[in-house]
């Protein structure tokens, strides 16, 4: 009982209070040591997660003949080999990892971003069908407006005067409407993080025991 409940709770509360005091007072040396430990533990957890993902898809590929798992395993092994080769041959701008990110990772991210715009539009139409309200219409109109303005502005088919007007509208949407929403989300995330931290320090929330 002590090892399963009391000891993890005491360690979590102690390190939480020490970290808070080191950042508030501040004590740079202690804060650097703790953040270094956090970085090391995060790297270890990430490595274990990658190995677990590799093992799961490796077994799925050989047992269930899942082609997607095979592609994932081969991609992970290939990137690991390229990274190891880059570390042995020396660093530079035209490394294998840089080439992979430039010609594979970046186009994939751009494609996913384009698909996200399409998904937002389809979600807006489905939302209007299922729950027609002013917020649904506002969401759909906002998505359509942003998509149309961006597409028309970058198309180069408009006169210079109209293009400047649309660019100003797009600038206003990005820097006023969109930025305000992003700041609201960040404030909400910060408040949620503070509340969760207080609950962990108080011992009412114990994510390390789940």
């Amino acid at each position: 009982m002590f090892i399963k409940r009391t000891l993890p709770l005491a360690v979590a509360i102690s390190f939480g209070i020490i970290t808070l005091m080191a950042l508030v007072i501040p004590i740079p040396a202690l804060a650097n040591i703790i953040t270094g430990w956090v970085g090391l533990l995060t790297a270890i957890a990430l490595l274990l997660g990658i190995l677990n993902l590799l093992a799961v898809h490796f077994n799925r590929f050989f047992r269930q003949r899942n082609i997607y798992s095979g592609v994932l395993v081969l991609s992970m092994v290939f990137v690991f080999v390229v990274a190891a080769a880059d570390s042995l041959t020396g660093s530079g701008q035209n490394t294998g990892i840089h080439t992979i990110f430039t010609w594979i990772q970046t186009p994939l991210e751009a494609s996913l971003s384009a698909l996200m715009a399409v998904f937002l539009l389809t979600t807006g139409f489905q939302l209007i069908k299922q729950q027609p309200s002013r917020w649904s219409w506002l969401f759909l109109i906002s998505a359509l407006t942003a998509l149309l303005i961006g597409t028309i502005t970058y198309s180069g088919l408009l006169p210079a005067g109209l293009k400047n007007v649309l660019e100003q509208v797009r600038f206003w949407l990005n820097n006023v409407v969109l930025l305000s929403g992003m700041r609201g989300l960040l404030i909400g995330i910060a408040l949620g993080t503070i509340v969760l931290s207080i609950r962990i320090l108080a011992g009412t929330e114990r994510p390390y025991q789940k």
Side-chain angles (χ1 to χ4, degrees):
M1 187 67 67
F2 174 77
I3 297 178
K4 290 184 178 180
R5 293 187 178 182
T6 308
L7 183 60
L9 180 62
V11 171
I13 293 176
S14 301
F15 272 91
I17 294 175
I18 292 172
T19 305
L20 181 63
M21 297 301 294
L23 294 174
V24 171
I25 291 179
I27 307 176
L30 182 58
N32 292 333
I33 292 175
I34 295 176
T35 52
W37 290 351
V38 171
L40 178 61
L41 292 176
T42 303
I44 293 174
L46 181 61
L47 179 61
L48 292 177
I50 293 174
L51 293 177
N52 180 62
L53 180 67
L54 182 62
V56 169
H57 285 277
F58 188 82
N59 292 330
R60 185 178 297 176
F61 173 68
F62 281 99
R63 292 181 180 179
Q64 302 178 6
R65 301 298 180 183
N66 192 322
I67 187 64
Y68 299 106
S69 297
V71 172
L72 178 62
V73 171
L74 291 177
S75 301
M76 293 178 67
V77 173
F78 176 73
V79 172
F80 178 77
V81 171
V82 171
D86 289 340
S87 63
L88 293 176
T89 56
S91 60
Q93 294 294 330
N94 296 322
T95 59
I97 291 295
H98 182 267
T99 304
I100 290 174
F101 273 89
T102 302
W103 295 100
I104 298 177
Q105 184 74 22
T106 303
L108 286 176
E109 291 179 356
S111 301
L112 289 176
S113 299
L115 288 176
M116 186 179 296
V118 177
F119 290 154
L120 285 175
L121 287 178
T122 55
T123 302
F125 285 113
Q126 292 178 0
L127 189 62
I128 289 177
K129 290 181 180 180
Q130 297 177 0
Q131 298 178 356
S133 63
R134 58 182 181 180
W135 299 111
S136 303
W137 283 103
L138 180 62
F139 174 79
L140 181 60
I141 292 172
S142 301
L144 283 173
T145 303
L147 183 61
L148 289 176
I149 290 177
T151 304
I152 295 173
T153 302
Y154 288 108
S155 64
L157 301 176
L158 296 177
L162 184 57
K163 183 178 180 180
N164 292 331
V165 173
L166 290 178
E167 286 182 351
Q168 292 178 2
V169 173
R170 183 171 60 86
F171 179 81
W172 181 82
L173 289 175
N174 290 333
N175 291 275
V176 177
V177 180
L178 182 61
L179 192 59
S180 301
M182 292 177 62
R183 287 178 177 175
L185 289 175
L186 291 176
I187 291 173
I189 293 172
L191 292 176
T193 304
I194 292 173
V195 172
L196 181 60
S197 301
I198 294 174
R199 288 175 61 87
I200 292 175
L201 290 177
T204 57
E205 187 74 24
R206 303 178 183 181
Y208 40 83
Q209 291 184 350
K210 296 180 180 179

